[in-house]
Amino acid sequence: MPQARECVCCQEITIVNERRTGKDENTSCITDLPSFRNVCLDPDILDVAYFQYRQEYGEQLSEAANERNRYTAYRQFVRWCWGYLGKEIRVVIPACVVLSVRNSYPDPGQNYTGFRSVAG
């Protein structure tokens, strides 16, 4: 990960680690859980989540399917672990999750945004 604050393991974030161990104590990484793949990587689930997002916020994301799926997958992961955070509240997503999403929905030019805090 390009920024030091993005180099975090899922076991280092309490709420993510609790989600991981609550599902399967023997799983060392949250990305190995079937529920992670279902909630955060399944393209049909991501489509439904994206349409919900559009209905709620009225914003249309990129027409590029992989870019839209990456954005939606990150939103799904945050909702799955933290629930609703509120407007402009951001959290660092574990590197293992980011890499799993990027591997599932790659950008052809390997151009990724990374974590951006909200200017305030």
Side-chain angles (χ1 to χ4, degrees):
M1 305 307 296
Q3 299 179 47
R5 67 180 168 185
E6 294 176 291
C7 295
V8 61
C9 173
C10 63
Q11 294 182 22
E12 296 177 275
I13 301 172
T14 302
I15 198 160
V16 176
N17 195 44
E18 288 171 356
R19 169 69 66 180
R20 177 188 63 83
T21 58
K23 296 288 181 182
D24 182 355
E25 291 184 19
N26 297 319
T27 301
S28 62
C29 182
I30 197 159
T31 62
D32 292 332
L33 293 173
S35 51
F36 170 80
R37 291 187 295 278
N38 294 339
V39 171
C40 302
L41 298 180
D42 184 290
D44 294 326
I45 299 299
L46 295 179
D47 281 346
V48 171
Y50 169 68
F51 291 126
Q52 172 63 34
Y53 173 81
R54 278 194 57 197
Q55 181 179 355
E56 190 170 331
Y57 296 103
E59 297 178 36
Q60 185 165 350
L61 301 175
S62 170
E63 289 299 318
N66 278 2
E67 183 178 357
R68 186 180 66 229
N69 282 340
R70 281 193 309 276
Y71 179 83
T72 307
Y74 299 140
R75 287 181 57 84
Q76 285 286 98
F77 180 76
V78 170
R79 178 68 51 97
W80 186 50
C81 290
W82 282 271
Y84 179 73
L85 290 177
K87 186 175 183 176
E88 296 185 352
I89 298 173
R90 300 202 175 153
V91 294
V92 174
I93 296 172
C96 53
V97 171
V98 172
L99 293 174
S100 180
V101 170
R102 287 179 181 177
N103 287 336
S104 297
Y105 301 104
D107 180 82
Q110 297 293 304
N111 297 314
Y112 300 108
T113 302
F115 180 77
R116 291 181 297 183
S117 57
V118 176

